[in-house]
Amino acid sequence: MAAPSRLLIRGGRVVNDDFSEVADVLVEDGVVRALGRDLLPPRGPPSGLRVLDAAGKLVLPGGIDTHTHMQFPFMGSQSIDDFHQGTKAALAGGTTMILDFAVPQKGGSLIEAFETWRSWADPKVCCDYSLHVAVTWWSDQVKEEMKILVHDKGVNSFKMFMAYKDLYMVRDLEMYAAFSQCKEIGAIAQVHAENGDLIAEGAKKMLALGITGPEGHELCRPEAVEAEATLRAITIASAVNCPLYIVHVMSKSAAKVIADARRDGKVVYGEPIAASLSTDGTHYWSKEWHHAAHHVMSPPLRPDPSTPDFLMNLLANDDLTTTGTDHCTFNTCQKALGKDDFTKIPNGVNGVEDRMSVIWEKGVHSGKMDENRFVAVTSTNAAKIFNLYPRKGRIAVGSDADIVIWDPKATRFKKGGIRHFQIPRLQIVNHIVTISAKTHHQAVNFNIFEGMVCHGVPLVTISRGKVVYEAGVFSVTAGDGKFIPRKPFAEYIYKRIKQRDQTCTPTPVERAPYKGEVTTQKSRVTKEDATAGTRKQAHP
């Protein structure tokens, strides 16, 4: 369906990360052309202008999900949401851009992996996207390919796994080298922070005890394993003066490490996900195997029920910075690959469609954060860190018209139907829908947020200036989204890094040369000589 050449979003409360204002938003050719009061001419809309009356609603920058794995070949299977279905679901939830991961095998080419993911995504995506690239091994080839990806391919973020031993895991010296190269080329380093060696030993121990079910997954990778790796990654990045981004922060312990490091002046950012902000790991002890297995992800959800509330408080107060989902979905029959051995359960949960409403519920509706902080953690901060701002993450003249009309008082809940209300020039369906596998748009047959009540839903999603989701109906086709290249040296993170290089680099102490006696190798007293001398003194 062809998009009108112009849109006018009228009378809504435009919310950016720093302030809110009631204003009209004029969209032309996919970008915001004007922002202000009374942009509609008194005589009515001119030909070719569609008016969306958003009075009483919020007008937000489209969400940016910093962490997805669409159609990811992993653990003997492939995630069920491909780039088409996954990005459609994202749009239904108010997310207009995803950042996915190209993950090469050990010994494989980073550039080839990047091109493979592009070939999967480009024909299918319904919203804009970009790619992080994983560094799963180290060599001169990897170092050179990182440089090429940054200079020629629009990549500015590289992820290192400290877990998945013998599959993706890199060691400390490899991580040090990768961090050093990230800094040299102006990229941000990302880490999956878990101690892979301890996990491998813990898994053996659990299986030896006869623990084969999903609870074994959490038991072999407790909080301490995540917190230790988080601190180790921050320590290595600090030694290099490289900016660091910790993906999927799942535990209170790891979050405290990040918060302490930020207060100590480290350039580090923490990314909790929708799952860790809203549910917990008690599900691993469910009597229903499939229920427990569908919650298996790494790092695992934590059985401490106070974890989501704790993480949301840190997110609200800037100790944590962005939000993703780690959306990597597998149907029950795929999870059943590990029915007799939890180490073989494909890791991953849903969230790309649910993230915005879940974070609104747990963050804004609960009173922990305001609407501006919501925009910051769901969109703007990600745009700044990954050098998409202000093209993405803001409603301003010249920005991409990725916009969501948001109803802060609507309700998503387990049981119900749909109620309609009429506003001028636009009938919007106010969704009272199930957060449930029965009604969501994700391909997976399970939803970890089943039954969750969420006050706040997207009514209309606009991507690239086109209404793509409205009244529960999609107006989008595969390939409508585009790959968004990202430039290196994002000012938001690299201003401090560059200044520290200029002012904080150690320098030698100027002192007069030492001119005294220097003991030679031959004159040193050996252990044998000292022992012999002691014997002579004892027996004169």
Side-chain angles (χ1 to χ4, degrees), residues 13-305:
R13 183 175 174 84
V14 177
V15 183
N16 281 307
D17 67 310
D18 51 353
F19 73 99
S20 305
E21 62 177 331
V22 175
D24 298 345
V25 182
L26 179 64
V27 172
E28 292 181 346
D29 301 320
V31 300
V32 176
R33 293 296 186 195
L35 183 68
R37 295 291 189 104
D38 302 323
L39 296 182
L40 184 66
R43 62 183 179 277
S47 176
L49 177 69
R50 183 185 177 192
V51 178
L52 303 176
D53 195 329
K57 303 297 180 283
L58 304 181
V59 181
L60 313 177
I64 300 173
D65 189 334
T66 52
H67 192 148
T68 67
H69 293 283
M70 304 301 177
Q71 60 189 83
F72 181 31
F74 186 50
M75 296 184 72
S77 195
Q78 185 177 60
S79 57
I80 195 69
D81 276 299
D82 67 2
F83 277 100
H84 179 242
Q85 194 64 37
T87 53
K88 276 185 72 175
L91 291 170
T95 288
T96 55
M97 183 173 183
I98 64 168
L99 293 167
D100 208 90
F101 290 83
V103 184
Q105 297 297 313
K106 274 192 182 294
S109 165
L110 275 64
I111 293 174
E112 288 180 9
F114 172 83
E115 297 295 352
T116 296
W117 259 258
R118 285 289 307 269
S119 72
W120 293 342
D122 285 351
K124 292 184 177 182
V125 287
C126 296
C127 70
D128 288 351
Y129 82 104
S130 198
L131 290 172
H132 312 294
V133 177
V135 174
T136 56
W137 63 296
W138 189 252
S139 70
D140 288 341
Q141 174 191 335
V142 173
K143 182 177 180 180
E144 181 61 24
E145 288 192 343
M146 289 173 70
K147 183 178 179 181
I148 293 170
L149 285 165
V150 167
H151 287 179
D152 301 335
K153 304 293 186 178
V155 174
N156 70 7
S157 48
F158 294 91
K159 177 182 178 182
M160 278 58 74
F161 291 89
M162 301 172 76
Y164 298 118
K165 187 177 180 180
D166 300 325
L167 180 61
Y168 298 135
M169 184 175 124
V170 294
R171 298 289 179 180
D172 289 359
L173 284 177
E174 295 171 314
M175 202 155 58
Y176 183 94
F179 287 2
S180 299
Q181 179 67 345
C182 281
K183 182 189 172 185
E184 179 69 23
I185 59 182
I188 185 167
Q190 302 172 293
V191 292
H192 172 138
E194 288 185 289
N195 187 313
D197 287 319
L198 292 183
I199 291 168
E201 295 306 309
K204 294 175 187 176
K205 181 179 179 181
M206 292 303 116
L207 292 172
L209 291 171
I211 300 173
T212 61
E215 70 277 11
H217 180 74
E218 204 284 332
L219 290 170
C220 78
R221 49 210 313 157
E223 284 200 27
V225 165
E226 182 186 359
E228 181 277 331
T230 300
L231 178 58
R232 182 156 40 100
I234 291 171
T235 302
I236 295 171
S238 181
V240 179
N241 193 24
C242 174
L244 182 65
Y245 184 98
I246 311 291
V247 303
H248 48 40
V249 178
M250 302 300 292
S251 69
K252 293 164 67 172
S253 301
K256 287 175 183 176
V257 169
I258 295 167
D260 289 345
R262 286 174 65 82
R263 291 168 188 175
D264 197 34
K266 304 294 191 295
V267 184
V268 58
Y269 306 94
E271 170 205 84
I273 61 172
S276 65
L277 291 165
S278 61
T279 188
D280 61 55
T282 56
H283 295 278
Y284 296 129
W285 280 264
S286 170
K287 294 292 186 180
E288 295 290 337
W289 182 91
H290 83 280
H291 180 94
H294 271 291
H295 287 79
V296 168
M297 62 169 298
S298 295
L301 293 158
R302 300 304 175 187
D304 179 350

